[in-house]
DNA sequence: CGCTTAATATAGCCAC
DNA sequence: GTGGCTATATTAAGCG
């Protein structure tokens, strides 16, 4: 086996590691997506309107992100005052 | 508290449960996505071509899906024969 | 007629052209979809299982896409080697 | 070759015909979709807002369908009067 | 008619 | 920073 071959097979093995890690994570993601679907299906079966639920979640998410933005803004102000 | 109020608050509580379950799963999903990004970033830092990696993963995924489709087809045939 | 009006009417006319082109294509698409339906209806009337047919078509399509992906991957490798 | 084999191969050939007809139509459909994309891309390059265009097209389509419905309704009235 | 699957529209992301 | 591309969300259709 030449040195190049060794390097190649090391690279290939390393590449394989990365790809498999990514693929495993993709599978986990798929599982999560399944679970999310199940939650909505269950809620629907209990008579809730899934569309409305998703809308609610969007709004809640925006509010959260908004809070984060506000906090970042406060932090900026703080720094500006300390450095000013 | 009227009976309607009770029903309403039960429904509201139940709805909240569903939404929170969904939101928690969404957070898990976001975490997974972070991890996937990290894997690719690390591979890139080690000199691998991310575009090639993703292409490889696509092909591997497609092969898997193909197997699933083939099995589904066999199942369809089986049913067709049983019912024929 | 002011210059703005001229510009506006030019834009409006141009926009109309684009929309009509798109709409004509949409109609052609609708016609094609009709024809596809007819083929399946005819096959069904001749005793074929439409579900099986569609499954077969899916597999055939996936095989084709796989070939395309493989070729794209080869191209990616080629470029990587040239640039390496 | 048994009679069954003959029947099978006739069926298989016929099935192939149907599948190929469907696949050809699918290809035509794909071509049309490409063209539609091109129209929107061109319009976008000329400065038009594709989202707005699509909205306009939706409205125009609804108006058309509305007209058809109105005409069908008129036809119903006509028949009712003639027969009444 | 509802429910599952396919088509389309939108949005987020990445590379240039 | 923009444009292309992929992933997701929404909508429509086909099927039982």
């Amino acid at each position: 086996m030449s040195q190049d071959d060794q390097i190649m097979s090391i690279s290939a093995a390393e590449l394989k590691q990365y790809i498999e890690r990514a693929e495993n994570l993709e599978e986990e993601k798929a599982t999560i997506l399944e679970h999310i679907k199940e939650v909505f299906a269950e809620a629907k079966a209990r008579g809730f309107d899934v569309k409305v639920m998703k809308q609610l979640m969007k709004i809640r998410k925006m509010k959260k992100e908004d809070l984060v933005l506000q906090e970042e803004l406060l932090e900026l102000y703080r720094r500006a005052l300390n450095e000013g």
Side-chain angles (χ1 to χ4, degrees), chain A residues 10-60:
Chain A
I10 290 167
S11 284
E14 201 186 345
L15 179 63
K16 197 161 174 271
Q17 297 293 323
Y18 283 122
I19 285 182
E20 284 174 358
R21 274 172 63 196
E23 281 175 346
N24 289 337
L25 289 166
E26 288 285 352
E27 276 203 38
E28 286 183 44
K29 194 184 75 175
T31 305
I32 305 275
L33 288 176
E34 289 292 306
H35 291 166
I36 292 173
K37 270 193 182 178
E38 281 166 24
V39 170
F40 286 122
E42 197 183 323
K44 186 180 182 181
R46 291 283 301 139
F48 295 104
D49 185 327
V50 173
K51 209 170 171 179
V52 169
M53 285 177 69
K54 289 190 177 176
Q55 204 61 28
L56 274 173
M57 286 171 67
K58 261 193 195 171
I59 291 167
R60 284 161 66 98

